[in-house]
Structure formats: structure tokens, C-alpha cells
Amino acid sequence: MDYEQFFAERIADLRREGRYRVFADLERQAGAFPTAKNYRDGTVQDVTVWCSNDYLGMGQHKVVLDAMCEAVRRCGAGAGGTRNISGTNHYHVLLEEELATWNRKEAALLFNSGYVANQTTLMTLGNQIPGLHIFSDALNHNSMIEGIRQGKATRHIFKHNDVRDLDRLMTSVDPEAPKLVAFESVYSMDGDIAPLAQICDVAEKHGAMTYCDEVHACGMYGTAGSGVCERDGVLDRITIVQGTLAKAVGVVGGYIAASRALTDFIRSFGPGFIFSSALPPAIAAGALASIRFLKEHNEIRERHQERAATLKRRLTAAGIPLLPSVCHIVPVMVGDAVLCKQASDDLLRSYNIYVQPINYPTVPKGSERLRITPTPLHDDAMMDRLLVAITEVWSQLGLQKAA
């Protein structure tokens, strides 16, 4: 077999389909978010980023930067090992305590990413609980899908956010069998939110544990900002809350929060935790400072929601087709992979506006989109420039407008 030819042909297929991913070479500017320097074609351009997962700009906030710099001076760069072998720094302990309190749970456990948190936790539960049945929302993230698959528990897929279908599937299973319902709070591609209380009703009816991925909600919702579970008053009904430190918190890493026994169970049996080097102390320190700040500053979340609502309203008035998002995410629908990438390229090259195209397999074919994430730091002038640019690109490419 000609291996190099095989690799090249597969990549060529992606290019023909318009699904080849090109990374924008960016240099974030501390204190100047959401602007960045874009290195392209031998030049450096100042661009405005409209698709960052740093939803609240905390990755640039002084309290976070100061905490990280202080931690580097005190502890050095790396953690020095896995959590079990010399790698548990006091900042890790403080952060896990803060995460547990934030989510009103007995304990929390840090991971190197939200992906690893999902994959490890769901895989470990599936491998370790005899006869476990996992009921998974049809639009769950790849990390949840992979964790469930690798755990080899019996898997049932219920229709997206459909509690009747969930109840139907759970009714078909032995009432005595152990069960877990896995779902997200905010679905980041369509911008919809799960009916958390109703899902809990069904899970409790069937004696099931609940696993809620709050990756796109932690820091963003609720008076203290821990997520939609807090906002909707269901934290005490969720068995495991999973989240990330890489989005609204502004740093990197993932976590779960649950009972002391369950958390210790994953700590003791989860290979993705046991065999991974610990997060650098500075990362934990920055996340800790960010969460403490966000707990006390709900006005940031209020400003963020206003910015998202304003942008949706203005894009709709301009005839730009949007999915009916009920959260901070603004999905602008294109419906064609090649045109979606072209729209993104034109916005970047002609207007210095960066919005990454979202194509298959992240979203189904035919539902390609630009996923815009306004932040509290996108001001009216930036929004004006975005509206002009996206309206002109829509016209130039002959893209369909909303009725």
C-alpha cells in the first residue's frame, strides 16, 4: 500500500467537498480582546474575532493574568507529574474545592480538558457498573459519544431534547437495571437548551443517574454563573455536572462535580485521569481566580446576554438567516460547505472579521453555518462593521436571505 498516496487522496477529498479545515494563524492581544493579529500571506493584519469560545473575555482579564503570573513565580511551569505521582499542587486542591462549591456538590475532579472529562467519566462508569444502560441525547458531543462507546455499556439514543422518547426508551429496559441519562444543557451548534427539569423527572421516575454537560454554560448562566442547572434550579437533581475551564472561564481544562463517593470512584478508576500529567499550577490558579470573579459579577453575564440578543435582532432585520437560538450562540445558516468556507474567507480577507465556518462532521451536511459568539467586549462599532460586512458578503455570494 502506498500510505502517502492514501493520506493525500483523503485530504484531496476533503478539499473537493469544501470540508478541509484551515487554521487562522492568530496572536491574541492581552488587554485588547476581541481583536487579534492575523498572520497570513506574509503580512500581519488586525482582525476582530467573532467566534471565540472565550465567551466572556476572561482569558484576557487582569485578575486571571495576575493569578497565573503569581503562580508561575511561586510554583514554576509544570506540575511535575500525574496527580498521583507528585503532581497534585495546592492550586489543584483549591480549584476542586471551588468547583464543588460552585456546583453545590460534595467534591470535584480536574481533567486536562472537557473532552477528557466526558470521555473518561462516561467510559469508566460504562466499564465498571455491571449491566449499565446509558441513554444519550442524539446531539451529544463527540466526547460523550466516544466515552459511552468505549465504556461498552448498552447505549440508547433518544431524540434530541425529547423527554417522551426518553421515557419510552427507559420504559423498555428492565426496571432493576442501572441507568444513566447523558445530555448537555446548551447545545453549541444550534443554540438550544435542554429541558432539564423534565429530563430529571423522567430519570427519577426510572431510578436513573443524570449526567449534564455544562461546557457551553458554565460561567454563563445563573446568579453565581455555574450554568443552566443553577439557573433552572436543578443542581440538586443532577448526579454529575461536567464542565470546562477553556470557554467562559478563559483558561483550559475540564472537571466533573458530584458526590464524594462518585468523584473518588472516577479518580480511582478513570484511566484518562490516572495516567495524565496534571494541569500546570498556573492554569489552576487562573481558573480559580476567574471563577471567584465570575461568581461575584453577574453584570458580565447580563451584558453578554444583551449583546447576543442585540446581534440576533440586527441580523434578523438585515435578512440574514439564523437558527432560533435561545442562548448566547448565534448560528448563521449557509447550507453549503463550499459557500460557507468562502463566506468565512471573504469576511477575513476583505473585512478583517474572523468567523470560522462550521461544516460536516461537526454539523450535518446541508446545515453548514457561521457560528457567531458575541461577547460583552464586542461594542456597537464592531457590531456595525460586522453587519455591513456580512450583508455585503451575502449579496456577493448570492446566498439566500431569510423571508
Side-chain angles (χ1 to χ4, degrees):
M1 182 178 186
D2 187 333
Y3 300 110
E4 293 301 313
Q5 182 179 352
F6 172 80
F7 301 144
E9 288 175 352
R10 292 301 302 273
I11 293 299
D13 290 341
L14 288 179
R15 291 183 184 277
R16 280 191 295 271
E17 295 170 15
R19 296 196 292 118
Y20 182 74
R21 301 182 183 211
V22 178
F23 298 158
D25 185 351
L26 301 174
E27 181 182 307
R28 280 159 58 95
Q29 303 294 295
F33 185 80
T35 62
K37 293 189 179 300
N38 176 214
Y39 292 78
R40 66 176 190 263
D41 304 328
T43 67
V44 183
Q45 303 292 327
D46 291 323
V47 300
T48 303
V49 180
W50 279 95
C51 57
S52 175
N53 282 341
D54 188 359
Y55 290 138
L56 301 177
M58 292 303 294
Q60 305 280 307
H61 201 286
K62 186 177 185 303
V63 299
V64 177
L65 303 186
D66 287 350
M68 294 183 73
C69 289
E70 173 62 20
V72 168
R73 285 191 291 266
R74 291 182 62 178
C75 304
T82 65
R83 290 290 298 275
N84 185 53
I85 305 177
S86 83
T88 294
N89 188 277
H90 190 53
Y91 282 116
H92 298 131
V93 176
L94 293 175
L95 178 55
E96 287 175 338
E97 290 173 350
E98 188 69 50
L99 288 166
T101 301
W102 200 30
N103 289 280
R104 302 177 198 165
K105 299 297 181 188
E106 293 178 344
L109 190 66
L110 284 172
F111 294 85
N112 286 9
S113 70
Y115 193 107
V116 176
N118 270 336
Q119 183 184 41
T120 299
T121 304
L122 290 167
M123 176 180 66
T124 303
L125 293 173
N127 279 330
Q128 295 290 331
I129 300 177
L132 179 65
H133 291 255
I134 299 182
F135 299 82
S136 177
D137 187 285
L139 294 189
N140 275 344
H141 190 263
N142 175 267
S143 57
M144 301 174 78
I145 294 169
E146 282 300 304
I148 294 168
R149 182 182 66 81
Q150 293 168 24
K152 298 181 174 60
T154 302
R155 182 182 63 173
H156 310 265
I157 309 299
F158 64 93
K159 297 175 184 177
H160 178 53
N161 281 346
D162 190 330
V163 292
R164 290 185 178 180
D165 193 48
L166 173 61
D167 186 48
R168 178 187 64 82
L169 288 170
M170 298 190 83
T171 301
S172 69
V173 173
D174 179 0
E176 300 303 315
K179 306 173 187 69
L180 180 143
V181 183
F183 51 94
E184 301 180 37
S185 58
V186 173
Y187 289 85
S188 66
M189 289 301 120
D190 290 356
D192 55 340
I193 294 178
L196 300 183
Q198 295 176 46
I199 291 174
C200 289
D201 289 343
V202 175
E204 289 163 4
K205 172 184 172 182
H206 295 279
M209 295 184 292
T210 47
Y211 184 103
C212 184
D213 177 319
E214 287 259 53
V215 159
H216 292 277
C218 55
M220 311 284 292
Y221 297 90
T223 303
S226 68
V228 178
C229 292
E230 178 204 330
R231 186 199 71 177
D232 290 1
V234 298
L235 269 175
D236 62 326
R237 304 175 69 187
I238 301 296
T239 310
I240 305 170
V241 176
Q242 180 271 343
T244 185
L245 305 173
K247 294 182 170 61
V249 176
V251 195
V252 72
Y255 63 88
I256 61 167
S259 70
R260 198 172 307 281
L262 196 157
T263 304
D264 196 21
F265 179 82
I266 301 300
R267 183 190 71 88
S268 300
F269 290 98
F273 175 83
I274 294 169
F275 297 105
S276 290
S277 293
L279 288 169
I283 297 296
L288 178 63
S290 179
I291 291 168
R292 287 176 173 172
F293 184 87
L294 289 173
K295 286 171 65 176
E296 302 299 324
H297 291 274
N298 191 47
E299 73 277 4
I300 297 175
R301 288 180 285 280
E302 292 174 345
R303 165 72 173 174
H304 186 244
Q305 290 296 318
E306 179 276 321
R307 292 284 79 190
T310 298
L311 181 59
K312 291 176 195 176
R313 183 174 64 252
R314 294 191 63 184
L315 286 169
T316 299
I320 304 300
L322 308 179
L323 279 183
S325 166
V326 295
C327 71
H328 58 281
I329 292 162
V330 184
V332 176
M333 302 307 293
V334 179
D336 179 277
V338 173
L339 289 175
C340 192
K341 184 178 184 306
Q342 187 63 55
S344 172
D345 289 346
D346 291 351
L347 285 169
L348 184 60
R349 294 183 178 279
S350 299
Y351 301 92
N352 285 328
I353 288 173
Y354 174 48
V355 185
Q356 183 70 13
I358 307 294
N359 292 339
Y360 178 84
T362 306
V363 296
K365 291 180 180 179
S367 68
E368 293 82 4
R369 66 200 63 180
L370 301 176
R371 178 182 173 273
I372 301 177
T373 54
T375 75
L377 300 175
H378 284 93
D379 60 25
D380 287 340
M382 292 175 180
M383 201 174 290
D384 290 341
R385 291 194 291 272
L386 174 65
L387 263 292
V388 169
I390 203 166
T391 301
E392 291 182 359
V393 166
W394 232 250
S395 176
Q396 292 161 7
L397 296 180
L399 294 172
Q400 185 174 357
K401 287 199 168 187

